[in-house]
Amino acid sequence: MLWLAVYFPHWLLQYQSYHQGLPQGSELALFERQSGQILIASRAAAKLGVEAGQSLATAQALCPSLQLLTYEPSLSQEASHWLCQWSYGYSARVVPPVCPFEQTQPNRPSVTDTLLLEVGSMAKIFGGLDRLISQYQQAAEGYGLECQFALGENALLAQLGARYLPFTWPADAVCYDKGHPEPERAARVSACLAKREDRESAKEEEAQGEETKAQSKDEQVGAYSVNLPQLDLKQIISLPLPILPLPGHVLQACENMGLTQVEALLALPLKEFGERFGESVLTLLAQLKGQLPQVHEFYQMPESYRHKLELLYEVSHLEGLAFPLGRMLGTLSAYLVQRQQAVLALSLTLVFRDLSLAPLRCEIRYPFAEHRADALLKLCRVQLESLTLAAPVISLAIQADTLVALSVQTPNWWQGEGKSDVCMRLISLLEARLGADKVKGLESCSHHLPELSWQSRSLSLSGSVSQSRSDARRRKCSAQDVASQKLENQMLNRCAEPRASYQGKTRALSEEASLFTDLFHGLCDGRIRPTWLLRQPEPLEPELVSLLKGPERLHSPWSASSPRDYYLARMHQGGLCWVFRSPEGLFLQGWFG
């Protein structure tokens, strides 16, 4: 395997800086609450004299603008999960970084602050290792992260190299030059890639007459990009001994024996050295030489999403939560894209400064299974507008368990570009403002009576799921008693339109000859039905209408209701209507419009 080691010297600080919206280059320091000592300081704070081991009073005296962050074990867990999550887009094998302040496995010393990516199998996908590393570096800098890289087939050597011997980009492989502005940098990137493609095409033309085996070998070498050096043991043995992740007492004993370099330690007899310092040290040296395989615990994408953020300031208004919430939802969006999923609902929890108050928990619903960061934030803000904060907020957490498969809708050829997406966003916004019970659509159901053959239904995806479940239960009940009047009344109550008269609305329609012609020629074959149905048929005097076409009989042998003969009719006051005659008399069923 070919490993890419990425060293993040200030990842705990920069995780907080990114999600809290702090400007890059701020004076930050992480301190331990119990001892009151500085654990790590940012580069800007270190330039002013702040360093690890200092007391809080000394650090603040040296840097009055220093912003202090409390270290908690949950902070390292959230930051490690965040790093691995977006790194998962570059390799399927990601080894999380080890926090330097947590000794989870004392018997297995490891290099801290370093993330591992298996990139040998990903080189061809990205068009070469140089492009993979370049894209990864650009993504890291977009998150405000400082990083150093090293390549090697030995993961431990690559980790040590990333910390102490990071490689520098060759002149023709520089794809992110900090000394140039963005437009010029992009031009340099394009020129670099164009030159590389020209060289690759020239090599392919020269190799056309060679054998297939030689061609595949050349492609593999080109994929691994010979411009990027790989670390070996010869480059590490000349470094000082403290670079190795050895316990403190072992390093002190080696210093007392006069051992200052890695090479001197490797020259010692292993049997006597192991009897004195234990098996774990021998295992580390064997892994360093490549004599023993290394055991890695790869990062696994969780089935559900959870993210908690402790705010550095108190927020008294919901508008103040927009920025940190937007960053958290952006991270959620990246998670959903990687898993090709979308979210139907997420739970938002706000913790108040007054701990005696219960945390505010609200469920944010997305009717059409959203995955885009901007849409996630927009609907979330709309649904939060009705809330009132009882006290200032000190932390917030989001949890997404209701996930569905991501489906991309492509508009039909007769639709405009993105028309369906705009409609779904509009319906989502209406449901967020008015509530899901206020936005309904119409749907036909299996029943021969027109007033019972349609019903209102939720347009959202979550509503459709719950509706289908209720429909299944309803079908089960109807199988037991088909002719049940109770079931018909239940379906009747679910009709969307209330009982109303539409004479005034349809008077103008009677003057439209084209509509009248269509209705007249298409009614008997069942193609045309009125768009407005009354909730219940209304009794109608025969003198008020003129029957134009019909009859069309609707009757079911499975129902106890009497047969109906339907006619296209015209009201004397104006308007085309749909009426039926039964043994009980003449009734108005609906209006055409």
Side-chain angles (χ1 to χ4, degrees), residues 480-528:
Q480 298 175 357
D481 188 3
V482 178
S484 174
Q485 187 64 31
K486 181 179 180 180
L487 176 62
E488 292 191 358
N489 293 336
Q490 181 181 3
M491 297 180 65
L492 181 63
N493 293 332
R494 294 184 58 185
C495 290
E497 293 291 338
R499 183 174 182 176
S501 177
Y502 297 96
Q503 288 92 336
K505 296 181 181 180
T506 59
R507 184 172 294 128
L509 298 178
S510 62
E511 301 175 358
E512 299 181 7
S514 60
L515 177 63
F516 174 78
T517 303
D518 292 339
L519 295 173
F520 183 78
H521 291 289
L523 180 63
C524 288
D525 56 6
R527 292 181 302 169
I528 301 297

Short mmCIF file of all heavy atoms in Angstrom, two decimals, residues 480-528:
data_model
loop_
_atom_site.label_atom_id
_atom_site.label_comp_id
_atom_site.label_asym_id
_atom_site.label_seq_id
_atom_site.Cartn_x
_atom_site.Cartn_y
_atom_site.Cartn_z
N GLN A 480 -62.19 -6.23 5.18
CA GLN A 480 -63.02 -6.91 6.15
C GLN A 480 -64.50 -6.55 5.99
O GLN A 480 -65.37 -7.37 6.20
CB GLN A 480 -62.55 -6.56 7.57
CG GLN A 480 -61.11 -7.01 7.85
CD GLN A 480 -60.64 -6.53 9.21
OE1 GLN A 480 -61.36 -5.82 9.91
NE2 GLN A 480 -59.43 -6.92 9.58
N ASP A 481 -64.75 -5.31 5.59
CA ASP A 481 -66.14 -4.88 5.44
C ASP A 481 -66.20 -3.87 4.31
O ASP A 481 -66.00 -2.67 4.52
CB ASP A 481 -66.65 -4.28 6.74
CG ASP A 481 -68.15 -4.02 6.67
OD1 ASP A 481 -68.75 -4.36 5.64
OD2 ASP A 481 -68.70 -3.47 7.63
N VAL A 482 -66.43 -4.35 3.08
CA VAL A 482 -66.37 -3.48 1.92
C VAL A 482 -67.49 -2.46 1.92
O VAL A 482 -67.31 -1.30 1.56
CB VAL A 482 -66.40 -4.34 0.63
CG1 VAL A 482 -66.37 -3.47 -0.61
CG2 VAL A 482 -65.25 -5.32 0.63
N ALA A 483 -68.67 -2.88 2.31
CA ALA A 483 -69.84 -2.02 2.23
C ALA A 483 -70.05 -1.19 3.48
O ALA A 483 -71.14 -0.69 3.70
CB ALA A 483 -71.08 -2.88 1.98
N SER A 484 -68.99 -1.02 4.26
CA SER A 484 -69.15 -0.30 5.51
C SER A 484 -69.39 1.18 5.26
O SER A 484 -68.62 1.85 4.57
CB SER A 484 -67.89 -0.50 6.37
OG SER A 484 -67.96 0.30 7.53
N GLN A 485 -70.47 1.67 5.79
CA GLN A 485 -70.78 3.09 5.63
C GLN A 485 -69.79 3.97 6.41
O GLN A 485 -69.55 5.12 6.05
CB GLN A 485 -72.22 3.37 6.11
CG GLN A 485 -72.70 4.79 5.84
CD GLN A 485 -72.78 5.08 4.35
OE1 GLN A 485 -73.05 4.17 3.55
NE2 GLN A 485 -72.56 6.33 3.97
N LYS A 486 -69.25 3.41 7.46
CA LYS A 486 -68.28 4.17 8.25
C LYS A 486 -67.04 4.51 7.44
O LYS A 486 -66.50 5.61 7.54
CB LYS A 486 -67.90 3.36 9.49
CG LYS A 486 -66.92 4.07 10.40
CD LYS A 486 -66.59 3.22 11.62
CE LYS A 486 -65.60 3.93 12.53
NZ LYS A 486 -65.28 3.11 13.73
N LEU A 487 -66.61 3.58 6.61
CA LEU A 487 -65.44 3.83 5.79
C LEU A 487 -65.73 4.90 4.75
O LEU A 487 -64.89 5.78 4.50
CB LEU A 487 -65.00 2.53 5.10
CG LEU A 487 -63.83 2.65 4.12
CD1 LEU A 487 -62.58 3.12 4.85
CD2 LEU A 487 -63.57 1.32 3.43
N GLU A 488 -66.90 4.89 4.17
CA GLU A 488 -67.25 5.90 3.18
C GLU A 488 -67.29 7.29 3.82
O GLU A 488 -66.87 8.27 3.22
CB GLU A 488 -68.58 5.56 2.52
CG GLU A 488 -68.51 4.30 1.65
CD GLU A 488 -69.76 4.15 0.81
OE1 GLU A 488 -70.67 4.99 0.96
OE2 GLU A 488 -69.83 3.20 0.02
N ASN A 489 -67.81 7.37 5.02
CA ASN A 489 -67.83 8.67 5.71
C ASN A 489 -66.42 9.15 6.02
O ASN A 489 -66.13 10.35 5.95
CB ASN A 489 -68.64 8.55 7.00
CG ASN A 489 -70.12 8.29 6.72
OD1 ASN A 489 -70.62 8.63 5.63
ND2 ASN A 489 -70.81 7.68 7.68
N GLN A 490 -65.55 8.22 6.36
CA GLN A 490 -64.16 8.61 6.65
C GLN A 490 -63.49 9.17 5.40
O GLN A 490 -62.78 10.17 5.46
CB GLN A 490 -63.38 7.40 7.17
CG GLN A 490 -61.93 7.73 7.52
CD GLN A 490 -61.20 6.50 8.01
OE1 GLN A 490 -61.75 5.41 8.03
NE2 GLN A 490 -59.96 6.68 8.38
N MET A 491 -63.67 8.50 4.27
CA MET A 491 -63.10 8.99 3.03
C MET A 491 -63.75 10.30 2.60
O MET A 491 -63.11 11.19 2.02
CB MET A 491 -63.26 7.94 1.94
CG MET A 491 -62.51 6.65 2.21
SD MET A 491 -62.71 5.43 0.92
CE MET A 491 -61.90 6.25 -0.43
N LEU A 492 -65.02 10.46 2.90
CA LEU A 492 -65.72 11.67 2.55
C LEU A 492 -65.16 12.86 3.30
O LEU A 492 -65.01 13.97 2.77
CB LEU A 492 -67.22 11.51 2.84
CG LEU A 492 -68.12 12.71 2.50
CD1 LEU A 492 -68.08 12.97 1.02
CD2 LEU A 492 -69.54 12.44 2.97
N ASN A 493 -64.81 12.66 4.56
CA ASN A 493 -64.27 13.74 5.37
C ASN A 493 -62.88 14.18 4.93
O ASN A 493 -62.42 15.27 5.28
CB ASN A 493 -64.22 13.33 6.84
CG ASN A 493 -65.61 13.15 7.42
OD1 ASN A 493 -66.55 13.79 6.97
ND2 ASN A 493 -65.73 12.26 8.39
N ARG A 494 -62.20 13.34 4.15
CA ARG A 494 -60.86 13.67 3.73
C ARG A 494 -60.84 14.42 2.41
O ARG A 494 -59.77 14.75 1.90
CB ARG A 494 -60.01 12.40 3.60
CG ARG A 494 -59.77 11.70 4.91
CD ARG A 494 -58.86 10.54 4.73
NE ARG A 494 -57.58 10.96 4.15
CZ ARG A 494 -56.63 10.13 3.79
NH1 ARG A 494 -56.80 8.84 3.92
NH2 ARG A 494 -55.50 10.60 3.28
N CYS A 495 -61.98 14.64 1.79
CA CYS A 495 -62.00 15.40 0.55
C CYS A 495 -61.51 16.82 0.81
O CYS A 495 -61.76 17.41 1.86
CB CYS A 495 -63.41 15.43 -0.03
SG CYS A 495 -63.93 13.82 -0.67
N ALA A 496 -60.82 17.36 -0.16
CA ALA A 496 -60.14 18.64 0.06
C ALA A 496 -61.09 19.83 -0.02
O ALA A 496 -60.94 20.79 0.72
CB ALA A 496 -59.02 18.81 -0.96
N GLU A 497 -62.07 19.80 -0.95
CA GLU A 497 -62.89 20.98 -1.18
C GLU A 497 -64.11 20.99 -0.27
O GLU A 497 -64.81 19.97 -0.15
CB GLU A 497 -63.35 21.01 -2.64
CG GLU A 497 -62.20 21.23 -3.61
CD GLU A 497 -61.63 22.62 -3.50
OE1 GLU A 497 -62.36 23.50 -2.99
OE2 GLU A 497 -60.47 22.82 -3.86
N PRO A 498 -64.42 22.08 0.36
CA PRO A 498 -65.65 22.18 1.15
C PRO A 498 -66.87 22.35 0.25
O PRO A 498 -66.75 22.59 -0.95
CB PRO A 498 -65.41 23.44 2.00
CG PRO A 498 -64.52 24.27 1.14
CD PRO A 498 -63.63 23.32 0.40
N ARG A 499 -68.00 22.20 0.85
CA ARG A 499 -69.26 22.38 0.11
C ARG A 499 -69.41 23.85 -0.25
O ARG A 499 -69.38 24.72 0.60
CB ARG A 499 -70.43 21.90 0.95
CG ARG A 499 -71.76 21.98 0.24
CD ARG A 499 -72.84 21.35 1.08
NE ARG A 499 -74.13 21.37 0.40
CZ ARG A 499 -75.21 20.81 0.89
NH1 ARG A 499 -75.17 20.18 2.05
NH2 ARG A 499 -76.35 20.85 0.22
N ALA A 500 -69.57 24.11 -1.55
CA ALA A 500 -69.65 25.50 -1.98
C ALA A 500 -70.33 25.55 -3.34
O ALA A 500 -70.51 24.54 -4.01
CB ALA A 500 -68.26 26.13 -2.05
N SER A 501 -70.71 26.70 -3.75
CA SER A 501 -71.33 26.91 -5.05
C SER A 501 -70.39 27.73 -5.91
O SER A 501 -69.77 28.69 -5.43
CB SER A 501 -72.68 27.63 -4.88
OG SER A 501 -73.24 27.88 -6.15
N TYR A 502 -70.30 27.39 -7.20
CA TYR A 502 -69.34 28.06 -8.08
C TYR A 502 -70.03 28.69 -9.29
O TYR A 502 -69.45 28.83 -10.34
CB TYR A 502 -68.30 27.04 -8.58
CG TYR A 502 -67.48 26.45 -7.48
CD1 TYR A 502 -67.81 25.22 -6.92
CD2 TYR A 502 -66.37 27.13 -6.98
CE1 TYR A 502 -67.07 24.67 -5.91
CE2 TYR A 502 -65.61 26.58 -5.96
CZ TYR A 502 -65.96 25.35 -5.42
OH TYR A 502 -65.21 24.81 -4.42
N GLN A 503 -71.34 29.09 -9.12
CA GLN A 503 -72.03 29.69 -10.26
C GLN A 503 -71.33 30.95 -10.74
O GLN A 503 -71.15 31.16 -11.94
CB GLN A 503 -73.49 30.01 -9.91
CG GLN A 503 -74.37 28.78 -9.78
CD GLN A 503 -74.43 28.26 -8.36
OE1 GLN A 503 -73.53 28.51 -7.58
NE2 GLN A 503 -75.48 27.50 -8.05
N GLY A 504 -70.91 31.76 -9.77
CA GLY A 504 -70.28 33.02 -10.16
C GLY A 504 -68.93 32.81 -10.81
O GLY A 504 -68.56 33.55 -11.73
N LYS A 505 -68.19 31.79 -10.37
CA LYS A 505 -66.86 31.54 -10.92
C LYS A 505 -66.92 30.97 -12.32
O LYS A 505 -66.02 31.17 -13.12
CB LYS A 505 -66.08 30.59 -10.00
CG LYS A 505 -65.81 31.16 -8.62
CD LYS A 505 -65.02 30.18 -7.78
CE LYS A 505 -64.77 30.74 -6.40
NZ LYS A 505 -64.00 29.79 -5.56
N THR A 506 -67.97 30.23 -12.62
CA THR A 506 -68.02 29.52 -13.90
C THR A 506 -68.93 30.19 -14.93
O THR A 506 -69.09 29.67 -16.03
CB THR A 506 -68.52 28.10 -13.67
OG1 THR A 506 -69.82 28.15 -13.09
CG2 THR A 506 -67.59 27.34 -12.78
N ARG A 507 -69.50 31.33 -14.60
CA ARG A 507 -70.42 31.98 -15.55
C ARG A 507 -69.68 32.39 -16.82
O ARG A 507 -70.20 32.27 -17.93
CB ARG A 507 -71.06 33.19 -14.89
CG ARG A 507 -72.12 33.88 -15.77
CD ARG A 507 -72.86 34.94 -15.00
NE ARG A 507 -73.65 34.31 -13.95
CZ ARG A 507 -73.61 34.69 -12.66
NH1 ARG A 507 -72.81 35.66 -12.28
NH2 ARG A 507 -74.36 34.09 -11.76
N ALA A 508 -68.45 32.83 -16.64
CA ALA A 508 -67.70 33.25 -17.82
C ALA A 508 -67.29 32.08 -18.69
O ALA A 508 -67.07 32.23 -19.91
CB ALA A 508 -66.45 34.03 -17.39
N LEU A 509 -67.20 30.88 -18.11
CA LEU A 509 -66.77 29.73 -18.89
C LEU A 509 -67.81 29.31 -19.93
O LEU A 509 -67.47 28.66 -20.91
CB LEU A 509 -66.46 28.55 -17.96
CG LEU A 509 -65.35 28.77 -16.95
CD1 LEU A 509 -65.20 27.54 -16.07
CD2 LEU A 509 -64.05 29.06 -17.66
N SER A 510 -69.07 29.62 -19.69
CA SER A 510 -70.11 29.22 -20.63
C SER A 510 -69.97 29.92 -21.97
O SER A 510 -70.54 29.48 -22.96
CB SER A 510 -71.49 29.51 -20.03
OG SER A 510 -71.63 30.90 -19.78
N GLU A 511 -69.26 31.05 -21.99
CA GLU A 511 -69.10 31.81 -23.22
C GLU A 511 -67.92 31.33 -24.06
O GLU A 511 -67.71 31.81 -25.15
CB GLU A 511 -68.91 33.29 -22.88
CG GLU A 511 -70.08 33.86 -22.10
CD GLU A 511 -69.84 35.29 -21.66
OE1 GLU A 511 -68.72 35.79 -21.95
OE2 GLU A 511 -70.73 35.88 -21.05
N GLU A 512 -67.15 30.36 -23.53
CA GLU A 512 -65.99 29.87 -24.26
C GLU A 512 -66.41 28.69 -25.13
O GLU A 512 -66.65 27.58 -24.63
CB GLU A 512 -64.88 29.47 -23.29
CG GLU A 512 -64.40 30.63 -22.45
CD GLU A 512 -63.29 30.22 -21.51
OE1 GLU A 512 -62.82 29.06 -21.62
OE2 GLU A 512 -62.90 31.04 -20.68
N ALA A 513 -66.48 28.91 -26.41
CA ALA A 513 -66.97 27.87 -27.33
C ALA A 513 -66.01 26.69 -27.42
O ALA A 513 -66.44 25.54 -27.55
CB ALA A 513 -67.19 28.49 -28.71
N SER A 514 -64.73 26.96 -27.33
CA SER A 514 -63.77 25.86 -27.47
C SER A 514 -63.88 24.89 -26.31
O SER A 514 -63.86 23.66 -26.50
CB SER A 514 -62.34 26.42 -27.56
OG SER A 514 -62.04 27.17 -26.38
N LEU A 515 -64.01 25.42 -25.09
CA LEU A 515 -64.15 24.55 -23.94
C LEU A 515 -65.44 23.76 -24.01
O LEU A 515 -65.49 22.56 -23.71
CB LEU A 515 -64.09 25.37 -22.64
CG LEU A 515 -64.30 24.59 -21.35
CD1 LEU A 515 -63.20 23.55 -21.17
CD2 LEU A 515 -64.33 25.55 -20.16
N PHE A 516 -66.50 24.41 -24.41
CA PHE A 516 -67.78 23.72 -24.53
C PHE A 516 -67.71 22.59 -25.54
O PHE A 516 -68.24 21.49 -25.32
CB PHE A 516 -68.87 24.73 -24.92
CG PHE A 516 -70.19 24.10 -25.20
CD1 PHE A 516 -71.03 23.68 -24.18
CD2 PHE A 516 -70.60 23.89 -26.51
CE1 PHE A 516 -72.24 23.09 -24.44
CE2 PHE A 516 -71.82 23.30 -26.78
CZ PHE A 516 -72.64 22.90 -25.74
N THR A 517 -67.01 22.81 -26.65
CA THR A 517 -66.90 21.77 -27.68
C THR A 517 -66.12 20.56 -27.17
O THR A 517 -66.51 19.41 -27.40
CB THR A 517 -66.22 22.36 -28.93
OG1 THR A 517 -66.97 23.49 -29.37
CG2 THR A 517 -66.14 21.32 -30.04
N ASP A 518 -65.05 20.84 -26.46
CA ASP A 518 -64.26 19.74 -25.91
C ASP A 518 -65.07 18.90 -24.94
O ASP A 518 -65.02 17.66 -24.95
CB ASP A 518 -63.01 20.28 -25.21
CG ASP A 518 -62.05 20.89 -26.21
OD1 ASP A 518 -62.15 20.56 -27.41
OD2 ASP A 518 -61.20 21.71 -25.78
N LEU A 519 -65.81 19.57 -24.10
CA LEU A 519 -66.61 18.83 -23.13
C LEU A 519 -67.73 18.05 -23.80
O LEU A 519 -68.05 16.92 -23.43
CB LEU A 519 -67.19 19.80 -22.09
CG LEU A 519 -66.19 20.51 -21.20
CD1 LEU A 519 -66.88 21.57 -20.35
CD2 LEU A 519 -65.49 19.50 -20.30
N PHE A 520 -68.29 18.65 -24.81
CA PHE A 520 -69.44 18.02 -25.47
C PHE A 520 -69.03 16.74 -26.19
O PHE A 520 -69.74 15.75 -26.17
CB PHE A 520 -70.07 19.01 -26.45
CG PHE A 520 -71.31 18.49 -27.12
CD1 PHE A 520 -72.52 18.47 -26.44
CD2 PHE A 520 -71.26 17.99 -28.41
CE1 PHE A 520 -73.66 17.98 -27.04
CE2 PHE A 520 -72.40 17.49 -29.02
CZ PHE A 520 -73.60 17.49 -28.34
N HIS A 521 -67.85 16.74 -26.79
CA HIS A 521 -67.42 15.59 -27.58
C HIS A 521 -66.63 14.57 -26.76
O HIS A 521 -66.39 13.48 -27.24
CB HIS A 521 -66.56 16.05 -28.76
CG HIS A 521 -67.33 16.81 -29.79
ND1 HIS A 521 -68.25 16.21 -30.63
CD2 HIS A 521 -67.33 18.13 -30.10
CE1 HIS A 521 -68.77 17.13 -31.43
NE2 HIS A 521 -68.24 18.30 -31.13
N GLY A 522 -66.25 14.89 -25.55
CA GLY A 522 -65.39 13.97 -24.82
C GLY A 522 -65.97 13.40 -23.55
O GLY A 522 -65.28 12.69 -22.84
N LEU A 523 -67.23 13.69 -23.22
CA LEU A 523 -67.74 13.26 -21.93
C LEU A 523 -68.08 11.78 -21.89
O LEU A 523 -67.72 11.08 -20.95
CB LEU A 523 -68.98 14.09 -21.59
CG LEU A 523 -69.63 13.74 -20.24
CD1 LEU A 523 -68.68 14.03 -19.11
CD2 LEU A 523 -70.94 14.46 -20.05
N CYS A 524 -68.77 11.27 -22.92
CA CYS A 524 -69.32 9.92 -22.83
C CYS A 524 -68.27 8.83 -22.78
O CYS A 524 -68.52 7.76 -22.28
CB CYS A 524 -70.26 9.66 -24.03
SG CYS A 524 -71.80 10.59 -23.89
N ASP A 525 -67.07 9.08 -23.35
CA ASP A 525 -66.04 8.06 -23.28
C ASP A 525 -65.19 8.17 -22.02
O ASP A 525 -64.19 7.47 -21.87
CB ASP A 525 -65.12 8.12 -24.51
CG ASP A 525 -64.49 9.48 -24.69
OD1 ASP A 525 -64.68 10.33 -23.80
OD2 ASP A 525 -63.80 9.69 -25.70
N GLY A 526 -65.56 9.03 -21.11
CA GLY A 526 -64.90 9.10 -19.81
C GLY A 526 -63.61 9.90 -19.80
O GLY A 526 -62.90 9.87 -18.80
N ARG A 527 -63.29 10.60 -20.85
CA ARG A 527 -62.03 11.33 -20.86
C ARG A 527 -62.11 12.65 -20.09
O ARG A 527 -61.10 13.13 -19.62
CB ARG A 527 -61.60 11.63 -22.30
CG ARG A 527 -61.22 10.38 -23.09
CD ARG A 527 -60.79 10.76 -24.47
NE ARG A 527 -61.84 11.49 -25.17
CZ ARG A 527 -61.66 12.13 -26.33
NH1 ARG A 527 -60.46 12.13 -26.89
NH2 ARG A 527 -62.66 12.74 -26.92
N ILE A 528 -63.26 13.23 -20.02
CA ILE A 528 -63.41 14.55 -19.42
C ILE A 528 -64.17 14.42 -18.11
O ILE A 528 -65.21 13.77 -18.05
CB ILE A 528 -64.14 15.52 -20.36
CG1 ILE A 528 -63.37 15.65 -21.68
CG2 ILE A 528 -64.29 16.88 -19.71
CD1 ILE A 528 -62.00 16.24 -21.53
#
